[in-house]
Amino acid sequence: MLTAISLPRPVLDANATAGGRDLGDLPEWDLSDLYPSQDAPELKRDLDWLEDACSRFAQDYEGKLDTLDAAAFLEMVQRHEKIETVGGRLMSFAGLRYYQNTTDAERAKFLSDLQEKVTNYTTPLVFFSLELNRMADDRYESLFAANDELARYKPAFDRVRAMKPYQLSDELEHFLHDLGVVGDAWMKLFDETIAGLVFTIDGEEMSIESALNQLTEQDRAKREAAARELARVFTGNVRTFARVHNTQAKEKEILDRWRGMPSAQMARHLSNDVEPEVVQALRDAVVDAYPRLSHRYYELKRKWLGLDTMQVWDRNAPLPMETDRIVDWDEARETVMNAYSGFDPRMSEIAEPFFTKGWIDAGVKPGKAPGAFAHPTVTEVHPYVMLNYLGKPRDVMTLAHELGHGVHQVLAAGQGEMLASTPLTLAETASVFGEMLTFRRLLDHAKDKQERKVLLAGKVEDMINTVVRQIAFYDFECKLHEARRGGELTPDDINALWMSVQAESLGPAFEFMEGYETFWAYVPHFVHSPFYVYAYAFGDGLVNALYAVYEENPDGFQDKYFDMLKAGGSKHHKALLAPFGLDATDPTFWQKGLSMIEGFIDELEAMEE
């Protein structure tokens, strides 16, 4: 809904790993571009303005939307956009401070108190989308046809109109708006629980980030010790995680049932502006390709590692010939920026301020949220990138990924608050493309066959994590929400659903240790944004197809690419991809992306001959 203003919900990248020391001067956020401090008079001024602006907006427009001409409707939209901007600025500041240290009681209280105030202030705006959806179709179309400036906003309103069949009564919609802060509390419980977990490995206490990093150590005994400690801690907290998932899945089931949603996934498809059949085609194409992708690659890796059977702690193990070196921050920055500038100097120019102006928070710190994200804040400020950087080669790719998001968000800001936000399926395009540019540059500069093999294997693993693993996650979520409709799920029930997708997706090269069945517990996507995960596979497949177009015909590609990013959420994926000759609704589209992964595996197999 257009009136929803809440804390930033970055979908934390659960695949991000970190490890190492002596990394150089790691940057921290400077949030003063939002507000100087939590006690700043500017913050109180904006909070007071928001309360008054929302009240006046409701007084001026409630019950009158259907009577406005195009000029008056445009003025109303612009007033609403300003409200979204101020509310978004407030919540971005509070949310980002919280993610810097989720165990800090003062930050948690500040966020919760601000969330309640913003929710209360914006409650009078709920009428906006409700009245919009009661407007007759011919009246709606003629209104936007009458004014070119207003017509620019139509894609945002079309997405609201897509919810028309699922809209409840005005009274119930107001009730659900007010109740939103309760659902957010379960997310905060998850975040605070995850951030507060302590793992003891080889006598050293560490956070979840550092513990997950141990799964990428060269020493297999260290990887096993980490996996078993992760399992021990997850198992010890599994009842809490099961309660969070049960409650949220039940809440979603109730909302979906009252709204008449045909499936648990439908709300995500609507917010992504993507057709259910397109997502199903993607899912089916990936599952059908499991034997040609993950099964085949992990059989190769099993041989490289000299194992009869792989364990889960071997999935992200480095190759035996891979050096266990640490990439310091300066080298990571140079690697990514060179890749970006090699594609187009404009890309590195947009990325530069992230490093020089406090737009990145890179280091691992106690209480900091795990994973990585790029949060766009509001269009009149700039994005912020969060990492947990400790120097693994994969962390360089995470930097390239999140910086891609940041570049996209900067470019899309020109669309304004209502149109800048990109549906999740397309939001992953620039991030995955940034990774691809970085990988291709490294591959082009490989010194020898062995380095090329290590790079190719690393990229294949990243693509499997992005495509195969995320579609397996999606299948797990589908099963979880379907099973919850039949009643409360015990931790063992959820464990069984998790394991039902693991062997299928990873293949016969693996055995699964006792305790791995609880590893669903730490994946933040399931809690923060149900069914988000297919967006990663969507983005990877789309980028692979885009990159193939770039290789085949590079002339003019950069300008078309920048135009696509600048469009933000103003166009449907079909219109955005048309200049490249691509169409995601074509059933054969996903084979293009999957064939690139297969080609890399072909090359790795050829190296064995």
Side-chain angles (χ1 to χ4, degrees):
M1 289 212 182
L2 294 173
T3 51
I5 299 170
S6 59
L7 74 148
R9 291 182 187 172
V11 180
L12 306 175
D13 177 9
N15 292 325
T17 57
R21 288 169 175 77
D22 301 325
L23 299 169
D25 188 16
L26 295 175
E28 294 186 359
W29 279 336
D30 175 3
L31 298 179
S32 63
D33 287 344
L34 291 166
Y35 295 102
S37 72
Q38 66 271 30
D39 301 317
E42 295 92 336
L43 191 148
K44 183 179 187 307
R45 175 203 67 202
D46 282 356
L47 202 54
D48 291 343
W49 180 90
L50 184 69
E51 182 178 24
D52 180 63
C54 291
S55 176
R56 286 188 293 106
F57 187 94
Q59 290 171 13
D60 292 345
Y61 295 114
E62 188 167 9
K64 303 172 186 174
L65 255 66
D66 208 25
T67 68
L68 301 177
D69 63 18
F73 199 93
L74 174 62
E75 181 183 354
M76 179 196 66
V77 169
Q78 290 169 337
R79 283 176 62 178
H80 193 284
E81 194 166 35
K82 177 64 175 175
I83 288 170
E84 284 190 281
T85 301
V86 173
R89 188 178 195 132
L90 288 162
M91 292 313 307
S92 291
F93 177 73
L96 292 174
R97 281 186 76 246
Y98 170 74
Y99 283 115
Q100 281 184 299
N101 188 353
T102 62
T103 57
D104 183 331
E106 183 276 325
R107 293 180 188 229
K109 173 177 167 52
F110 178 72
L111 173 61
S112 293
D113 288 349
L114 197 65
Q115 174 72 82
E116 287 188 19
K117 287 180 181 178
V118 170
T119 298
N120 289 337
Y121 296 167
T122 56
T123 294
L125 306 185
V126 174
F127 79 89
F128 189 26
S129 56
L130 302 181
E131 287 191 28
L132 180 81
N133 282 347
R134 284 199 292 268
M135 193 179 291
D137 289 345
D138 56 350
R139 158 81 171 142
Y140 174 78
E141 295 295 337
S142 63
L143 187 67
F144 284 91
N147 185 299
D148 289 343
E149 192 173 355
L150 179 61
R152 193 178 74 79
Y153 290 95
K154 190 170 183 291
F157 288 99
D158 285 347
R159 285 194 284 274
V160 176
R161 294 275 287 190
M163 281 293 294
K164 185 176 180 178
Y166 313 111
Q167 187 167 291
L168 300 174
S169 69
D170 290 11
E171 187 176 29
L172 273 175
E173 293 290 356
H174 277 84
F175 170 74
L176 292 175
H177 176 85
D178 287 351
L179 197 64
V181 294
V182 179
D184 289 344
W186 288 98
M187 280 182 244
K188 282 184 274 189
L189 172 63
F190 172 85
D191 291 338
E192 290 164 11
T193 303
I194 283 288
L197 295 179
V198 177
F199 303 84
T200 305
I201 302 172
D202 293 334
E204 180 184 353
E205 290 190 350
M206 58 185 70
S207 68
I208 189 170
E209 280 295 336
S210 296
L212 288 169
N213 161 71
Q214 300 291 307
L215 298 177
T216 65
E217 287 290 330
Q218 189 71 257
D219 186 338
R220 193 172 191 236
K222 288 184 178 180
R223 299 199 304 270
E224 179 178 356
R228 295 197 183 281
E229 176 64 1
L230 285 161
R232 183 190 69 81
V233 174
F234 293 156
T235 300
N237 290 273
V238 74
R239 290 173 64 86
T240 299
F241 292 121
R243 172 57 49 218
V244 170
H245 281 68
N246 265 291
T247 304
Q248 286 208 303
K250 183 60 180 177
E251 180 186 48
K252 179 167 174 47
E253 184 274 325
I254 293 169
L255 286 172
D256 288 346
R257 175 160 38 87
W258 275 76
R259 291 194 182 281
M261 291 281 182
S263 69
Q265 301 85 352
M266 189 62 188
R268 175 62 60 205
H269 300 335
L270 287 169
S271 68
N272 282 348
D273 198 18
V274 65
E275 301 78 7
E277 56 270 21
V278 171
V279 178
Q280 189 64 38
L282 164 64
R283 181 264 173 203
D284 291 346
V286 174
V287 172
D288 184 61
Y290 283 170
R292 308 193 305 276
L293 301 178
S294 49
H295 297 188
R296 189 158 62 111
Y297 172 74
Y298 288 129
E299 179 58 24
L300 268 178
K301 187 167 186 175
R302 181 190 66 77
K303 293 175 183 175
W304 293 334
L305 295 176
L307 300 172
D308 292 330
T309 307
M310 295 231 292
Q311 260 293 352
V312 291
W313 55 77
D314 300 314
R315 183 173 63 84
N316 285 326
L319 302 188
M321 72 289 291
E322 193 170 336
T323 58
D324 194 17
R325 80 180 188 92
I326 296 301
V327 183
D328 68 27
W329 180 251
D330 287 342
E331 182 183 349
R333 171 181 173 171
E334 182 181 6
T335 298
V336 175
M337 289 293 277
N338 284 342
Y340 276 25
S341 62
F343 172 70
D344 192 297
R346 289 173 292 178
M347 201 157 169
S348 56
E349 287 169 9
I350 295 168
E352 181 66 25
F354 284 85
F355 294 97
T356 59
K357 294 188 175 181
W359 299 3
I360 299 177
D361 196 299
V364 175
K365 289 167 279 191
K368 183 177 177 180
F373 64 78
H375 178 60
T377 70
V378 290
T379 55
E380 65 182 20
V381 187
H382 56 76
Y384 283 91
V385 164
M386 193 195 83
L387 305 171
N388 278 275
Y389 188 87
L390 283 172
K392 289 288 186 181
R394 275 195 174 93
D395 294 342
V396 180
M397 288 300 175
T398 301
L399 171 60
H401 181 102
E402 301 305 340
L403 206 57
H405 278 308
V407 168
H408 193 177
Q409 290 159 359
V410 169
L411 286 168
Q415 293 290 342
E417 208 62 37
M418 288 178 67
L419 289 169
S421 181
T422 308
L424 292 180
T425 42
L426 293 167
E428 291 300 331
T429 304
S431 54
V432 179
F433 197 83
E435 284 189 73
M436 181 64 80
L437 291 173
T438 304
F439 163 70
R440 291 288 187 173
R441 180 174 179 83
L442 291 170
L443 196 65
D444 289 344
H445 290 80
K447 296 188 296 290
D448 51 37
K449 180 179 176 181
Q450 180 168 296
E451 185 175 343
R452 183 177 180 87
K453 180 177 180 179
V454 169
L455 286 168
L456 276 171
K459 184 59 177 173
V460 168
E461 288 196 18
D462 287 343
M463 293 170 115
I464 287 173
N465 282 338
T466 303
V467 177
V468 170
R469 190 164 185 251
Q470 302 300 333
I471 289 300
F473 280 1
Y474 177 66
D475 277 356
F476 165 72
E477 282 192 278
C478 292
K479 291 184 176 186
L480 174 73
H481 284 264
E482 180 62 30
R484 183 62 182 90
R485 294 186 176 203
E488 177 90 3
L489 300 175
T490 67
D492 286 344
D493 292 333
I494 303 177
N495 292 347
L497 295 174
W498 173 256
M499 293 307 296
S500 73
V501 302
Q502 293 303 304
E504 178 189 23
S505 62
L506 295 177
F510 281 92
E511 285 182 352
F512 299 96
M513 69 170 189
E514 184 178 353
Y516 180 67
E517 66 274 6
T518 64
F519 273 48
W520 54 269
Y522 82 96
V523 181
H525 310 68
F526 304 152
V527 176
H528 282 261
S529 295
F531 304 108
Y532 178 105
V533 289
Y534 73 73
Y536 285 112
F538 195 109
D540 194 271
L542 194 157
V543 164
N544 290 345
L546 268 179
Y547 203 87
V549 172
Y550 174 48
E551 287 187 314
E552 291 165 10
N553 187 15
D555 292 343
F557 180 91
Q558 285 89 337
D559 287 339
K560 287 190 285 187
Y561 179 73
F562 277 96
D563 286 344
M564 179 178 71
L565 300 189
K566 288 175 183 176
S570 67
K571 294 181 180 179
H572 186 263
H573 64 79
K574 199 173 178 76
L576 285 174
L577 293 177
F580 303 96
L582 299 172
D583 182 1
T585 64
D586 180 347
T588 65
F589 172 81
W590 301 112
Q591 297 304 328
K592 293 183 176 71
L594 297 176
S595 65
M596 179 177 285
I597 309 176
E598 288 185 67
F600 289 157
I601 299 174
D602 290 342
E603 184 173 347
L604 286 168
E605 285 182 335
M607 288 180 176
E608 301 300 295
E609 296 173 359

